[in-house]
Amino acid sequence: MKIAIVGANGYSGVELIRLLSQHPHIEIEMLVSHSTSGTAINAIYPHLTGICELELEKAGAEEIAERAELVFFATPAGVSQGLAPQLLDKGITCIDLSGDFRLRQPKAYEQWYKRPFVARETDLEKGVYGLSEINRDAIKSAQLIANPGCYPTATLLGVLPAVQMGLIDLHSIIIDGKSGVSGAGRSAKQGNMYSEINESVKAYKLGAHQHIPEIEQGIEVIAGSETHVTFSTHLMPMTRGIMCTIYAGLKEARSTQQIIEDYKEFYQSDSFVRVRNEGIWPATKEVSGSNYCDIGIFADERVPRLTIVSVIDNLVKGAAGQAIQNMNIICGWDETTGLAQTPIYP
Amino acid sequence: MKIAIVGANGYSGVELIRLLSQHPHIEIEMLVSHSTSGTAINAIYPHLTGICELELEKAGAEEIAERAELVFFATPAGVSQGLAPQLLDKGITCIDLSGDFRLRQPKAYEQWYKRPFVARETDLEKGVYGLSEINRDAIKSAQLIANPGCYPTATLLGVLPAVQMGLIDLHSIIIDGKSGVSGAGRSAKQGNMYSEINESVKAYKLGAHQHIPEIEQGIEVIAGSETHVTFSTHLMPMTRGIMCTIYAGLKEARSTQQIIEDYKEFYQSDSFVRVRNEGIWPATKEVSGSNYCDIGIFADERVPRLTIVSVIDNLVKGAAGQAIQNMNIICGWDETTGLAQTPIYP
Amino acid sequence: MKIAIVGANGYSGVELIRLLSQHPHIEIEMLVSHSTSGTAINAIYPHLTGICELELEKAGAEEIAERAELVFFATPAGVSQGLAPQLLDKGITCIDLSGDFRLRQPKAYEQWYKRPFVARETDLEKGVYGLSEINRDAIKSAQLIANPGCYPTATLLGVLPAVQMGLIDLHSIIIDGKSGVSGAGRSAKQGNMYSEINESVKAYKLGAHQHIPEIEQGIEVIAGSETHVTFSTHLMPMTRGIMCTIYAGLKEARSTQQIIEDYKEFYQSDSFVRVRNEGIWPATKEVSGSNYCDIGIFADERVPRLTIVSVIDNLVKGAAGQAIQNMNIICGWDETTGLAQTPIYP
Amino acid sequence: MKIAIVGANGYSGVELIRLLSQHPHIEIEMLVSHSTSGTAINAIYPHLTGICELELEKAGAEEIAERAELVFFATPAGVSQGLAPQLLDKGITCIDLSGDFRLRQPKAYEQWYKRPFVARETDLEKGVYGLSEINRDAIKSAQLIANPGCYPTATLLGVLPAVQMGLIDLHSIIIDGKSGVSGAGRSAKQGNMYSEINESVKAYKLGAHQHIPEIEQGIEVIAGSETHVTFSTHLMPMTRGIMCTIYAGLKEARSTQQIIEDYKEFYQSDSFVRVRNEGIWPATKEVSGSNYCDIGIFADERVPRLTIVSVIDNLVKGAAGQAIQNMNIICGWDETTGLAQTPIYP
């Protein structure tokens, strides 16, 4: 199948190239980028030499639709709202790694992303939230996937089993997010320079991160009622990886062991979620370069309160990997096709 | 004044040497270490060449008491409980950086440190918990200082103003601790090897960290009632620095700005605590190498819930720096003597 | 084909598992380790959960030979000299990632490795030095591969074209080696603790590294005459990656462009060596996780002197990847089978 | 003494503030920066809160000369050539951390810095190259100091003793430079983003670095004859620190021990240069945050060739620290005044 990547010169874009270059059913037909068109991708990223040497192209909906059957958007906010609707009208499947179609309410988008919502409401209705393990059935028949954000993926895979099983008090959810720097993308910003980040942990955007409404919406869909979470984000001195440490009051005391068993059952048929045994805590390095989400559980029976530790590689399960997983589901391929990478350790 | 450092060959020990080498009233008379006695400290740590080249010595209480007026213990758990009582009996002032005299209940020590409490209860009663900003008056006349742990220092300086002002629900306190690796000391452990730590964030010891009872005790002293906190610890890919992100339910909604003003007033005469203005979040690098504790505040009025971000250098304010600050208080010197280091940035 | 890995619990061992888990013709039959036998590999390395959960076994030559056709040794110096000869006698193919069979002279082994040579000279004669691109023909029919060291791989792939083309003065070769820490293995050593390595570059073992005779031997085989190189090694604050910056006097001035063309021709049929264009310098990250060796060239016509910059991932092309490449050559499979990983970037 | 810092908002500028805030004879009177004037320095660098909260100012030569007796330039290339001459005419002492007055030949400046030389030749003649240990006498009476670059400081302190003693062949000098990222300054560049630098060593600017003519000039002044060095630069995944590994042919074989003794004698009255004993190699962390230059020596008698390993903190001895050292020399203060910081380790 021929695919196109729009925004191919960013980190999520090259991660799509990395993973798709090992996918047996896919041919990368075109790399679209307006800012770097005319340049070969391996002139920007020498590590792709011999692997993918396509030239980046400027191209509109028409040309893309002629050459590709499926399009990945690895673009900043605002781009896919403009381009995806035209592609949808031409029957092309779109998998959007940006936040443009994730929030069900255009107003929420405008409030948190601080930009106008410019697509049609009918486009928004077509969009399926691509949290693969949770929405698999809806994804199968979707033409537009709103691929989840990195923090929401780690958070929702961590907390939704407890929500669905009714274990926790919805008003008590706190998420302490810890992210590597690659999540901020490749454009040069002073705050992401090596000398600023190294040997430092920095809190940022407390109470203001655009992933807050996405997390709340994800919980509300399962819970059936409104929730307000406290979500704090911290920049870690590392390139890849997200850990979300999630705290929530238990409605009644349960042992760590019981909850681990519940989680293992919840995810028993999911290849990419691994629930740890008691006392074995996950580290981001243990999923690095792979599509896994590893989850550790601790129930403090004294309070009682549940602590869930969830880790992913932000560029894989938190972006390009989950996008490919969703493509596999749509296309009826085995969900793990092209995603069998073992984590790089150490 | 002549001082001795017991356990001089660990990281807290050499940090004491670094800071004391610039202290105008102090002469380092002896470095005590049983495991490396007979070696010059700069043969182990070449960076001390030309600065401190004393030989490490094996020495008992008698010799130490003859040569030094004040003794710092930078030792693992168990050492000062054996040696400090003998020194106290000889009139020597002891500042203990280990956890041996921090917990008021010997049983709690035995439960969390998993070793017998071997000092006399009368020694324990002499001990003053050396959280300088909070216990200044008691410290002035102390002969034995139980210097606080690194996590408790960051946590208590962050949360105690809110506790004392009665702003928060004591049963809702959650601390998400993030620490650099130097806190684990210098002895070779597989889990602290570079290749294991780098490019990774790892949760550890959830619900089992020996700093839990120290934090609870510190809160209870101010609050006057019992509390159970949830305390999670995470290893960061960095050498120095601790950040504690503290969450607690607000009894009633208050604005971020109000609480910042309250905190600034609380710490108005404390040189080493800096409360940030609204929206300016601390990073551990901004206190690196210095005795500062920087605090950021966010009140989520939707819930309402308070988030406090507190950062220190674990080896300075979390260990050697606060120990020297306590010595200054005891000796009647200006509290900042020898501690005027500007943070190393970048 | 069924294979065994002896020393499976070290970093080279798990890297073999990572790469072989994607190899279409291989089944990992057994993981041998005396120190950790009885434990599942994923209890030591949780990242392998769901990928490889074999139990580590104690096993002698007889059992290994019954169950596996080919054996990888990912062991410290001394192990394969004892075990490999027994396996060779039983007709098993051995690929040895350690230094045990690399040096043609037992005396050189004893001098540089500071341990007795205990195998038979006839075993040593069977051994083929497994620098795949250079020794491909001999490797095809080998029963024992002495897989090259990490520094020698980067150095020899960088310098041998110039040696073979007679461009450089053999007495002028200087290699400035820069290595990530994973090359030192997983056993706990104080010098490789995170706090010692991070934010630091450290020179070590100048003039004493056991890879010196291996490099000299590799050059001498091609040059046909003796050489003494200066080889300096430096520990970098990173986990993976080796860069060797190689300096050598040019017999006569040549342009950078000419030499680049010569190198491209030399490696024209080698999938894993990528020679950079003029002015584009390699970085270790650009080969991370992959079997590539990237080479940059600069000819300083003023002197005239040649500078060659050669980078590899020390655990892949410098260990497990090249070992698998050699297995592919021996087995008559395409040389890149199971080794098509795109470098992980960023 | 009142001083001004021009370019106070860059990394060398804030390092001057850090060090000068502990200097007993200095008052920072003004911070000059055109791009950020009107902002308090601690609004840009929160770590300076409570230490230095001056507002950055736009100011011309007249105002600076009225308020300050000595001016530090921590500016990019081109600035001090315009401003320093006006200050010199008004009798102000200028210490220039940029490269503007380092090269004796305006043509060399224009060739390597790729910009016109705009100062008067008479200004250039006033400039004294501020390599403190080597040029102390000339510095004493200088009105304009051309403070050395970071790589040249590490290189020249490492190699000049051997040059002066006539030990090495001038045509054989090779310098392998390894630098932390802070040397590239604080302005946002894609190549210096955390995600690009971390877990990577990258070669850059081979044969094209503007420090090449500065190093050659520094050697030629001592040697009395022309030299061409090969100088390679490599970006390290660390913030601070430079290591230069220097290779040179020995005119005749000498033992490592002999040369170490020669070096110790050469630097016997220099507080900031520490020559290591045989077999003890320096690491950049061992000088971090301090004004030290640590030197290790290895003579390979087989070739014979000399290897010198020289490390500094690029922002201290390689910039702000040496600038203050030069100020101390000019003012007749003890050379170590305000520079007694112990390296931060770990």
Side-chain angles (χ1 to χ4, degrees), chain C residues 30 61 152 162 164 177 183 192 197 248 250 254 266 286 299 306 316 344:
Chain C
M30 64 191 305
Q164 182 156 317
N192 295 336
I197 292 290
L250 280 164
R254 286 171 75 86
F266 188 96
E286 290 163 355
L306 179 62
V316 190
I344 304 276

Side-chain angles (χ1 to χ4, degrees), chain D residues 284-305:
Chain D
T284 60
K285 191 192 272 280
E286 290 163 355
V287 297
S288 188
S290 81
N291 201 46
Y292 287 105
C293 174
D294 282 10
I295 295 173
I297 302 280
F298 171 65
D300 189 341
E301 300 183 55
R302 301 186 314 169
V303 184
R305 189 176 287 131

Side-chain angles (χ1 to χ4, degrees), chain A residues 76-286:
Chain A
V79 175
S80 63
Q81 277 191 11
L83 187 56
Q86 303 171 53
L87 292 165
L88 294 172
D89 287 350
K90 292 174 197 297
I92 304 301
T93 302
C94 293
I95 299 182
D96 181 12
L97 281 70
S98 85
D100 274 14
F101 294 99
R102 290 185 201 147
L103 302 182
R104 306 312 303 155
Q105 305 299 332
K107 272 191 189 164
Y109 180 84
E110 300 191 335
Q111 177 193 338
W112 290 92
Y113 283 80
K114 299 189 195 321
R115 48 190 313 138
F117 183 84
V118 300
R120 301 161 299 198
E121 292 244 3
T122 50
D123 299 320
L124 195 52
E125 278 155 25
K126 277 188 196 151
V128 171
Y129 188 66
L131 191 64
S132 317
E133 283 74 13
I134 305 297
N135 286 348
R136 199 173 274 124
D137 284 340
I139 292 165
K140 276 177 189 161
S141 54
Q143 197 200 346
L144 169 62
I145 296 289
N147 212 59
C150 47
Y151 282 122
T153 296
T155 299
L156 294 173
L157 290 177
V159 79
L160 288 186
V163 170
Q164 182 156 314
M165 292 184 277
L167 302 182
I168 56 173
D169 171 8
L170 282 189
H171 299 295
S172 69
I173 301 173
I174 294 169
I175 302 122
D176 191 280
K178 304 162 184 78
S179 176
V181 185
S182 61
R186 204 197 187 199
S187 59
K189 290 172 207 152
Q190 203 167 51
N192 295 336
M193 298 279 284
Y194 186 87
S195 301
E196 301 287 317
I197 293 291
N198 192 42
E199 266 291 291
S200 195
V201 169
K202 183 170 177 60
Y204 71 104
K205 274 197 184 181
L206 267 69
H209 199 288
Q210 72 277 11
H211 285 167
I212 292 176
E214 185 181 340
I215 290 169
E216 291 179 347
Q217 174 182 287
I219 293 171
E220 287 163 359
V221 165
I222 301 297
S225 64
E226 206 192 22
T227 186
H228 287 311
V229 303
T230 291
F231 176 55
S232 301
T233 40
H234 305 80
L235 214 47
M236 300 285 113
M238 63 187 191
T239 301
R240 286 173 179 246
I242 275 187
M243 175 183 280
C244 288
T245 311
I246 305 159
Y247 304 95
L250 281 164
K251 288 187 186 158
E252 52 189 79
R254 285 172 76 86
S255 74
T256 298
Q257 188 54 37
Q258 278 177 301
I259 300 176
I260 286 174
E261 280 163 24
D262 292 341
Y263 266 65
K264 287 196 170 181
E265 199 185 320
F266 188 96
Y267 285 122
Q268 64 186 337
S269 50
D270 292 299
S271 303
F272 293 123
V273 181
R274 303 186 292 193
V275 180
R276 295 292 175 87
N277 290 333
E278 189 165 355
I280 312 294
W281 305 108
T284 60
K285 191 193 273 280
E286 291 163 354

Side-chain angles (χ1 to χ4, degrees), chain D residues 192-268:
Chain D
N192 294 336
M193 300 279 286
Y194 185 86
S195 301
E196 301 287 317
I197 292 292
N198 192 41
E199 266 290 291
S200 194
V201 170
K202 184 172 177 56
Y204 72 104
K205 273 197 183 181
L206 267 70
H209 200 289
Q210 71 276 13
H211 286 168
I212 292 176
E214 184 180 339
I215 290 169
E216 291 178 347
Q217 174 182 286
I219 293 172
E220 288 164 358
V221 165
I222 300 297
S225 65
E226 207 192 23
T227 184
H228 287 310
V229 302
T230 290
F231 176 56
S232 300
T233 40
H234 306 81
L235 214 47
M236 301 285 111
M238 63 187 194
T239 301
R240 286 174 180 245
I242 275 187
M243 175 183 281
C244 287
T245 311
I246 305 159
Y247 304 94
L250 280 164
K251 287 188 189 157
E252 50 189 78
R254 287 171 75 86
S255 74
T256 298
Q257 188 53 41
Q258 278 177 300
I259 301 177
I260 286 175
E261 279 163 25
D262 291 341
Y263 266 66
K264 287 196 170 178
E265 199 186 320
F266 188 97
Y267 285 122
Q268 64 186 336

Side-chain angles (χ1 to χ4, degrees), chain B residues 266-284:
Chain B
F266 188 97
Y267 286 122
Q268 62 186 337
S269 50
D270 291 300
S271 303
F272 292 123
V273 181
R274 302 186 294 194
V275 179
R276 295 292 176 88
N277 289 332
E278 189 164 356
I280 312 296
W281 305 108
T284 59

